[in-house]
Amino acid sequence: MLGEMDLVDRLRGIVGADHVLVDDDLRAGYETDWTGRWAGTSKAVVRPGSTPEVAAVLRACGEDGVAVIPQGGNTGLVGGSVPRSERPPGSQIVLSTRRFDALGEVDARAMQVTAGAGVTIGAWRAHARSCGLDAGVDFAARDTATIGGAIATNAGGSRVLRFGTMRRQLAGIEAVLPTGDVVGSLAGLPKETAGIHWPSLLCGSEGTLGVVTRARLRLIPHFPETATAMVGAASVDDAVELLAALRSGVADLDAVELITPEALDLVSAHIGADPPVVPPADGVLLLIDCAGHRDPSDDLLAVLGSSPHVVGTAIASDPSRRARLLDFRDRITEAIAATATALGSPTFKLDVAVPVTHLAELMHTAREAAVADGCRIIPFGHLAEGNVHLNHLGVRDPEQLAATVLGRVAELGGTISAEHGIGVAKARWLPLIRSRAELDAQRRLAEALDPLRIMNPGVLAP
Ligand SMILES: Cc1cc2nc3c(=O)[nH]c(=O)nc-3n(C[C@H](O)[C@H](O)[C@H](O)COP(=O)(O)OP(=O)(O)OC[C@H]3O[C@@H](n4cnc5c(N)ncnc54)[C@H](O)[C@@H]3O)c2cc1C
């Protein structure tokens, strides 16, 4: 075991003194998560600028038995991107990938691009659009969340219905294993059957198996013609019926987002705008987004016009009116965070999914659990995936609340993490949805790739 100064000095030797942050005020922004719920102290924040530097940092940390917390944009919502509060500060570093911000030339023939792990989702999208193409994953944290973080969490967002999660965007990966070995390929071959597929193995592993340094990303066509509708439905079940009609009747359907009255009230006050459609009592709002080469408005209007499940519609196809409608969905998380800050207590978040036919039952359970706890619940989500984000403000007994809701989710055949990941926040509930055999196999796999167990301790580990 080498001394504490030795490791910091060696890290300075690897990445340069300017990129090893040891002062409290310089580290602070890397040590508390976006929700304010998770925070810890590290020995240093290390900012490597190349793949060999990442390899050398991991080797140095392995030699000293110091844990490594990979971090991209630090927008993760499950406590996996910041140091662990229960660990001594000297036993962990944050490895920030933000210097991996290079984007390669767009290959329009392959419809692919190579991006550094620290490139933001927004920069990936803007780069693709500058070449007449687009990115298949999008969500509200786009201007801060990174490609590496999105891969590590298998991020979803609003367009999963059409283009899948981050996993589906991956044509190749470059990553550094905890041993310092570099794995993967950025060739972007659409077909290859040659053993372990590194993108599949690493996507969703939340920084527990290695550090993603670069990725070969698929691009999608840019669809210039768009239409967005805000629609009321009398119940969650009616919304699910409408979803089925939209899926079969609108070829250019991009997103179907669920906004509950609780979320609508909060976001309306936050953005200072009244919604053009108000859902009926006990109803919900849907935000429907379409994009195509031809104007999708007619298809959308035809389905909405013939559906018995629609109660009120506002539709927009020009960019500024669309943006105003999309704000009601995009800014809910921000509105919740502002309310939590005003209350002085972090939000207790659950990110669950069930088969859509059980969504109404899940919402009922979640609301009852919130009433029993005495907290305020703000649900919203991605309807097509049966994915609802349950945000609890002023919760008294989070353990009991989570046990009730997640237990029911598991009974309904759902998952305790649809897109945010398990992190440290949900790790203890993993046995609800994974068998002992699966968890043992996962642990043995992590031990094989990370024999010194330095990668992101506590994450994905019940
Ligand atoms: C306003 C808001 C809206 C959001 N909306 C959505 C949404 O709609 N859909 C969705 O899926 N998520 C959403 N999120 C959650 C979050 O943005 C995503 O989880 C995102 O993928 C995290 O990216 P990041 O770069 O910030 O990662 P971080 O927060 O830095 O890290 C997240 C996890 O990935 C690991 N990690 C990061 N980079 C690497 C790397 N290079 N190699 C290995 N491991 C790494 C970290 O250790 C950590 O476990 C939202 C968050 C906010 C704040």
Side-chain angles (χ1 to χ4, degrees):
M1 174 86 171
L2 297 167
E4 178 167 325
M5 282 312 294
D6 286 337
L7 178 62
V8 169
D9 281 346
R10 275 181 293 146
L11 294 173
R12 287 186 176 124
I14 295 165
V15 302
D18 287 353
H19 298 299
V20 180
L21 312 181
V22 289
D23 293 348
D24 289 356
D25 51 342
L26 294 179
R27 294 193 331 269
Y30 298 84
E31 294 187 336
T32 300
D33 86 329
W34 195 89
T35 66
R37 186 161 171 241
W38 307 97
T41 310
S42 67
K43 183 196 271 292
V45 174
V46 184
R47 296 161 36 100
S50 69
T51 302
E53 286 182 10
V54 172
V57 168
L58 292 182
R59 280 198 200 97
C61 289
E63 282 163 14
D64 271 26
V66 165
V68 176
I69 320 293
Q71 187 185 97
N74 198 15
T75 65
L77 301 173
V78 289
S81 55
V82 292
R84 307 292 105 84
S85 58
E86 68 281 8
R87 287 181 71 99
S91 71
Q92 52 192 343
I93 64 147
V94 173
L95 187 156
S96 168
T97 60
R98 289 189 211 173
R99 288 177 67 213
F100 283 80
D101 57 359
L103 273 159
E105 201 177 318
V106 167
D107 181 342
R109 286 169 299 180
M111 291 182 66
Q112 292 178 358
V113 69
T114 298
V119 168
T120 64
I121 299 293
W124 168 34
R125 187 171 75 157
H127 190 56
R129 285 188 176 181
S130 71
C131 301
L133 296 168
D134 205 348
V137 161
D138 187 34
F139 48 89
R142 63 182 73 81
D143 292 327
T144 315
T146 63
I147 297 297
I151 293 170
T153 56
N154 187 23
S158 55
R159 307 184 88 180
V160 172
L161 152 67
R162 190 171 187 181
F163 302 111
T165 62
M166 200 62 196
R167 180 168 281 132
R168 233 210 280 163
Q169 321 309 316
L170 279 178
I173 205 165
E174 175 193 86
V176 186
L177 298 181
T179 50
D181 297 311
V182 180
V183 296
S185 158
L186 298 169
L189 299 176
K191 292 174 84 174
E192 185 186 37
T193 307
I196 286 179
H197 185 242
W198 290 102
S200 303
L201 184 67
L202 295 171
C203 186
S205 65
E206 298 189 52
T208 61
L209 301 181
V211 177
V212 177
T213 46
R214 291 191 292 165
R216 186 76 176 161
L217 300 170
R218 293 201 170 87
L219 300 174
I220 58 168
H222 176 56
F223 299 112
E225 300 293 330
T226 49
T228 301
M230 187 180 263
V231 172
S235 65
V236 172
D237 281 334
D238 276 12
V240 170
E241 292 300 326
L242 177 57
L243 169 71
L246 288 163
R247 293 184 92 154
S248 61
V250 183
D252 292 324
L253 192 62
D254 231 52
V256 184
E257 304 284 90
L258 179 74
I259 306 178
T260 62
E262 298 97 322
L264 187 66
D265 285 350
L266 199 77
V267 74
S268 300
H270 181 69
I271 65 176
D274 290 330
V277 177
V278 177
D282 300 327
V284 290
L285 271 192
L286 300 190
L287 201 64
I288 304 160
D289 208 21
C290 307
H293 289 301
R294 289 179 301 109
D295 185 353
S297 306
D298 287 349
D299 280 359
L300 182 57
L301 282 169
V303 171
L304 297 180
S306 62
S307 169
H309 305 294
V310 171
V311 189
T313 304
I315 187 159
S317 44
D318 68 284
S320 66
R321 286 188 59 229
R322 271 188 74 230
R324 278 205 294 279
L325 287 185
L326 290 170
D327 257 3
F328 283 95
R329 162 63 183 85
D330 248 14
R331 297 186 62 190
I332 296 173
T333 304
E334 183 190 307
I336 292 166
T339 311
T341 304
L343 286 173
S345 105
T347 315
F348 181 68
K349 288 175 176 287
L350 297 175
D351 159 42
V352 296
V354 292
V356 280
T357 43
H358 296 315
L359 192 57
E361 195 176 341
L362 168 66
M363 298 283 284
H364 179 69
T365 300
R367 285 199 172 99
E368 279 195 332
V371 169
D373 181 84
C375 67
R376 182 174 171 194
I377 184 171
I378 316 289
F380 70 98
H382 311 289
L383 183 66
E385 293 84 48
N387 175 196
V388 59
H389 302 307
L390 303 169
N391 296 276
H392 306 88
L393 294 165
V395 66
R396 287 187 203 152
D397 188 348
E399 296 294 308
Q400 179 57 48
L401 189 126
T404 307
V405 176
L406 300 182
R408 189 70 190 125
V409 163
E411 285 167 7
L412 294 171
T415 178
I416 64 167
S417 168
E419 58 177 11
H420 292 165
I422 295 295
V424 291
K426 317 281 166 60
R428 57 165 299 208
W429 289 294
L430 255 183
L432 283 174
I433 55 159
R434 292 288 180 266
S435 68
R436 181 185 291 244
E438 287 171 324
L439 291 171
D440 280 350
Q442 180 177 294
R443 181 180 46 76
R444 287 198 301 274
L445 178 64
E447 281 168 1
L449 294 182
D450 182 15
L452 300 169
R453 305 310 307 270
I454 57 167
M455 294 306 299
N456 227 355
V459 166
L460 269 171

